[in-house]
Amino acid sequence: MNMTTFDLNLLRVLDALLRERNVSRAAERLSLSQPAVSNALNRLRELLDDPLLVRVGRAMQPTPRALELEAPIRDALQRIGQSLAGGDTFDPARSRQRFTLALTDYVEALCMPHLLESLGSTAPGMGLSIQHLTPTLPTEALDKGNLDLVLGRFEELPARFQRRPWASETLRLLARRGHPQVDGGIDLPTFLGQRHLWVSGGQTKGMVDQWLASQGLKRQIAYTTPNYLQAAHLVATTDLLTVLPTRLAAHFARLLPLQVLELPFDVGQFHLELVYLAQRERDTALQWLVERIVEAAPK
């Protein structure tokens, strides 16, 4: 391939197609017509000698060659954009950027009051949009730029993502005051004999159930919800038990007729982290926001 005659605008088209996996949406992202994007895709296929995106049912899936090119092309386009910006620096006081984050309602309650107070004085024009964190890392949304950051508990991460420690937390048991089986303390047999509410909290399996499974034990989960804030209200008016992060459990015990108890076993701490695409470490606006979120972590 002769790079002196290669139309670099085609790389913008390929980047948009890999983000959207759809010609119409890519055209909308680029403010081009659908035929123009289709023509550009055909030129790319000819130049690169690869179909790049193939139709599978109603969706378009990238070929291995396209996936191989995705990160380098996106990184190169970002570098070019930063170079063209010249000496411009990010000014939070003048920023009108909007960032989209995925997190649980528990993390939102922990982080946002402090973060919004900080942004109100330092970046009043900056906007935040919150999405609920799913049980699996939303890699596709991060890759496409539909999400800027996620904040939660993660294990294995693909190498293209960067993680920043945010906060550590322990777990406590929550029961209503006057619960017939729980009065200031609980042992393991009693714990196993009760009906439980489980807050999924962006996880496929919680720490408590992982520990119980390792011991050959199992509890009865009568109700599952993704919503931490609703969980406490349900437990306050039923005989269900729930396990919540310690800070949140203490908060609800001050507002509702609830008692906070030690678990009858030790599952240790869990750690919350910020995750974003590693290539965005050069995004000064995003990194400024990351530092503000780190500062807003509970101490």
Side-chain angles (χ1 to χ4, degrees), residues 98-119:
R98 189 172 190 86
F99 293 96
T100 303
L101 292 72
L103 38 82
T104 64
D105 60 336
Y106 155 61
V107 173
E108 187 174 9
L110 275 184
C111 178
M112 289 305 147
H114 302 289
L115 181 61
L116 290 174
E117 182 179 5
S118 173
L119 296 186

Side-chain angles (χ1 to χ4, degrees), residues 207-240:
M207 294 170 63
V208 167
D209 295 295
Q210 290 177 355
W211 184 89
L212 290 173
S214 73
Q215 307 298 310
L217 302 172
K218 188 176 181 180
R219 60 176 173 160
Q220 180 189 355
I221 297 176
Y223 188 88
T224 300
T225 177
N227 191 314
Y228 283 96
L229 304 184
Q230 183 62 25
H233 288 84
L234 290 171
V235 169
T237 55
T238 69
D239 285 340
L240 294 175

Side-chain angles (χ1 to χ4, degrees), residues 225-259:
T225 177
N227 191 314
Y228 283 96
L229 304 184
Q230 183 62 25
H233 288 84
L234 290 171
V235 169
T237 55
T238 69
D239 285 340
L240 294 175
L241 305 182
T242 194
V243 176
L244 293 185
T246 298
R247 291 184 181 94
L248 196 59
H251 170 73
F252 281 124
R254 290 191 292 268
L255 301 175
L256 298 167
L258 293 163
Q259 53 181 316

Side-chain angles (χ1 to χ4, degrees), residues 255-273:
L255 301 175
L256 298 167
L258 293 163
Q259 53 181 316
V260 180
L261 308 167
E262 296 277 349
L263 287 168
F265 45 83
D266 183 12
V267 294
Q269 290 185 322
F270 66 92
H271 307 285
L272 297 166
E273 300 174 305

